[in-house]
Amino acid sequence: MKKVELYLIRHGQTYINKYNRMQGWSDSPLTASGKSDAHNAGIYLRDTQFQAVYSSDTMRAIKTAKIIMDESNFPTPERRTSKYLREHFYGYFEGDDSYRTWFVVGNPYGYKTLEDIAADRSLDVAKDLMHQTDPYHDAENAEQFWTRVNKGLDQLLTENPNHSRILVVTHGGLIRSLAAKYGNVADGLVHPKNGSLTRMTLTDEGAQITSYNKILTPDTES
């Protein structure tokens, strides 16, 4: 059975994050705090040797990956990008206020927040409701999201040797969805922090979240 270990890092805080707006396939620069998020992750991981480094193809993930690997005490593998590792695409709601978006999506069904939908139904239902509410129906539904993300997981597994340790800089919604599907369902109710670490084992028979949303600061213990 082939097996790889993923170190999933949520990118550092961006300006769109700071203003609490929907940031899926849209992009914005890292804030000063976001750069610190990335440096803290790099300091924590500096003595961890990775056989491969991936990020989504968004600027915020690419920049975070570079900052992390600049801290490494090991030779840096070539960083690779993958469009399959992007955040959930929010379609019409890209850039909108997050609270307002989820109220518009959930209110017709008795929900006020994403957390309400996730707790009562699931994150995948939230994706489907957003797709239905989007007047252009461009927002990814659950099937579209997982079809894309599964291609990214397959890429990580097939492109790397058995027992590889792989750094993956990606996005909060994607990591949260993986946690809900392959870990403790309760983890899916908590959005991972910028710069946090989630660990996952990936095999040709399935996947498992082994730790979730570890907040990394300069004094965090390994």
Side-chain angles (χ1 to χ4, degrees):
M1 179 178 66
K2 187 174 183 181
K3 176 180 177 181
V4 298
E5 185 176 12
L6 307 182
Y7 282 57
L8 300 162
I9 298 284
R10 185 186 176 198
H11 63 80
Q13 184 197 62
T14 69
Y15 283 95
I16 292 182
N17 292 151
K18 180 178 179 179
Y19 305 142
N20 194 39
R21 292 185 172 272
M22 303 295 292
Q23 185 175 219
W25 289 9
S26 58
D27 215 347
S28 65
L30 299 180
T31 63
S33 178
K35 293 174 184 177
S36 293
D37 295 333
H39 281 295
N40 289 340
I43 292 168
Y44 177 82
L45 295 171
R46 62 173 31 154
D47 292 320
T48 302
Q49 187 169 15
F50 294 102
Q51 284 69 54
V53 178
Y54 287 76
S55 73
S56 84
D57 59 353
T58 60
M59 175 180 63
R60 60 193 186 273
I62 292 170
K63 179 65 173 178
T64 299
K66 182 180 185 307
I67 292 173
I68 291 172
M69 295 316 297
D70 282 348
E71 297 280 358
S72 179
N73 287 328
F74 294 97
T76 303
E78 179 183 358
R79 295 191 306 275
R80 290 176 262 186
T81 62
S82 174
K83 64 182 180 181
Y84 302 128
L85 299 173
R86 291 178 187 172
E87 180 62 283
H88 179 217
F89 181 46
Y90 300 124
Y92 174 80
F93 298 103
E94 290 277 340
D96 199 2
D97 178 83
S98 295
Y99 293 127
R100 179 169 57 240
T101 292
W102 288 111
F103 182 83
V104 169
V105 169
N107 191 53
Y109 307 93
Y111 305 113
K112 294 183 179 180
T113 67
L114 171 60
E115 285 64 34
D116 290 342
I117 303 171
D120 189 51
R121 307 284 289 279
S122 70
L123 289 173
D124 282 351
V125 168
K127 294 177 182 68
D128 289 341
L129 294 182
M130 174 175 279
H131 176 79
Q132 294 169 20
T133 307
D134 181 342
Y136 297 93
H137 303 300
D138 283 339
E140 287 181 308
N141 62 25
E143 181 180 6
Q144 292 167 330
F145 174 83
W146 285 114
T147 296
R148 171 175 61 81
V149 172
N150 285 336
K151 289 179 180 177
L153 297 179
D154 289 343
Q155 180 182 28
L156 295 171
L157 188 62
T158 59
E159 289 185 354
N160 296 284
N162 194 21
H163 300 303
S164 292
R165 184 183 294 119
I166 306 169
L167 177 67
V168 181
V169 180
T170 183
H171 303 273
L174 188 151
I175 295 171
R176 183 179 182 180
S177 294
L178 289 172
K181 187 171 185 177
Y182 296 115
N184 185 335
V185 173
D187 286 342
L189 303 180
V190 178
H191 202 72
K193 299 292 186 181
N194 292 106
S196 64
L197 170 64
T198 294
R199 293 176 63 174
M200 177 177 173
T201 56
L202 180 63
T203 75
D204 45 19
E205 295 182 354
Q208 182 180 9
I209 296 292
T210 55
S211 68
Y212 182 65
N213 192 30
K214 184 171 186 176
I215 310 304
L216 306 182
T217 61
D219 57 353
T220 303
E221 294 185 1
S222 301

